Amino acid sequence: MPLKTTKVAAPRLPPLQKIRVRRPDQPQANPCVGIMTSMLGCWASSGYSAQGCMALEQSLRACMDQAKPKDQKKNTINYHLMRLYPNIRGAKKIDK
């Protein structure tokens, strides 16, 4: 018994004006922002007294003193897409 094959034509995509990946590099959020917000709220409620907010102040200093992680290499996908775009797009039509 022969097998039946059903071939479906692949859908064709419309031509693109530009090939671009949007925002490949997302900035990392600062982990000390939450502690700083708590400390500023504590200062606003207690009138900048050192005794009431000492624990928050010490935790903020410890957070700020931690070493920052090394920067990762920047993503170069947009550079390569711009470089390879003429090869992907093909030859242009010449209007006469």
Side-chain angles (χ1 to χ4, degrees), residues 43-84:
W43 280 351
S45 65
S46 65
Y48 301 105
S49 68
Q51 283 94 15
C53 305
M54 185 61 78
L56 287 172
E57 185 177 344
Q58 288 175 352
S59 62
L60 178 64
R61 285 186 182 173
C63 181
M64 296 296 280
D65 290 339
Q66 287 178 352
K68 291 183 181 180
K70 292 184 178 179
D71 291 335
Q72 294 178 352
K73 278 187 149 181
K74 189 173 180 180
N75 194 345
T76 59
I77 189 163
N78 286 330
Y79 167 75
H80 291 295
L81 287 173
M82 287 188 310
R83 185 174 60 86
L84 297 172

